[in-house]
Amino acid sequence: MQTQTASARGLRALCFLAGAITVALAGSATAEETGYRLGVMDKLRVRVAEWQPADGTIRNWDAVSGDYTIGPTGSLSLPFIGDLPAAGKTAGEVAKTIGEELRGKFALRNLPSASVEIAQFRPVFLAGDVHTPGEYPYTPNLTVLKAISLAGGLLRSDSGQRFARDFINARGDASVYDSQRGRLLARRARLLAEVAGATEMKVPPELKDVGNAEKLIASEVSLMKSRRERYELQLKALTDLRTLLENEVQSLSQKTDTQKRQLQLVSEDREKMAKLTEQGLATSSRRITAEERAATIEANLLDIDTSILRAKQDINKANQDEINLRNDWEAQRAQELQNTEAELEKLGLQLGTSRELMSEAVAQSAEALKFDPSGKSATIKYTVVRDEGQGPKEVAVGENDKLLPGDVIKVAAELLMQ
């Protein structure tokens, strides 16, 4: 009967011990399941108990049990044990080490049962464009957005200040300047192609991120093609006119040769008539007729020479017109390119001023970004500085990414440069 009573008492004690250990470890279950590694500033709750098989009771080590904080060196300072390395280990590994250390210190037959649970995780830190930067307690499943809410949300201006309005105005101006800049960049690309005599346009790198770049390029390509066709038609018209005049000169030259041969024949006939008339063998009327024929041919020769001179003058004028056309074409393209460069420079200054105003507004109140829901002008950048045992590393994160204890969250409002 006594044996049964002792056994029952021992069984109850074991059940009680198991239940105590289960309760003690419940708080650290999440940390153990995720393989959470302890770090500096983590607060731990330590419980140590020892089963006494002789009388079937549990002995609590109250001198060791209690709440402890992992110090700057990464160690726990425990009674009897001293400094126990804990940073980088799991709660279960620390509990096992505590039991082994106690058994070794006191030469115990049985291994004391130690439980370690995380009473409080080390905090997270928020810096940058939040309303109240600083240190905040960590809780499981804490996300970036939740941490920012603990800090009072994004940085906002004091009551009565109008940084949001300034941001809206500056963003509107920047949008207009960006649109104008896109058109000017496309125009400059077309003018550069025309100045170089190219038949195709090169798309400037600055237009690759512009939404309507294809439409702008297509418009400029169409304009370049029509202007080039008109220019070439004018050149062709002058070339055709010059060819026609040259053919006319050639035809008149041939006509001059014919008239000269006729004049030579008429002159010979006129000399014969003059001799015959002096000898009384021909009438004076025949001599007069020969004179008239010679005079007519000479007049024709003068008219032909005049026509040749006029045609040559027209050829020279056509050549000069072609030179002027080419010079005017190059001068106009150069002037347009110069004006476009000046407009681009002016727009660059205006756009820079608008961006500075936007940057100033965002620096004073990050909440101004809520007036840009598309995120095309500015955005919030979240970066976590995390020590994973090999030194701190910066990791870009999103609003819904989960944090780890000890993380430093950097919140920065940034303009998107285009």
Side-chain angles (χ1 to χ4, degrees), residues 96-109:
K96 181 180 178 182
T97 303
I98 291 174
E100 293 174 347
E101 287 289 331
L102 289 174
R103 183 172 65 175
K105 289 285 184 181
F106 296 98
L108 301 176
R109 176 182 296 180

Side-chain angles (χ1 to χ4, degrees), residues 297-339:
I297 293 174
E298 289 175 352
N300 289 339
L301 282 172
L302 290 175
D303 291 340
I304 292 173
D305 289 340
T306 302
S307 297
I308 289 175
L309 290 175
R310 187 180 298 111
K312 288 182 177 180
Q313 288 177 348
D314 291 340
I315 290 174
N316 291 333
K317 185 176 182 302
N319 289 332
Q320 187 61 46
D321 289 343
E322 180 178 350
I323 294 173
N324 292 337
L325 179 61
R326 294 183 184 276
N327 291 339
D328 290 345
W329 170 268
E330 295 176 0
Q332 289 175 2
R333 301 296 86 74
Q335 184 64 47
E336 289 181 15
L337 183 58
Q338 184 179 3
N339 293 338

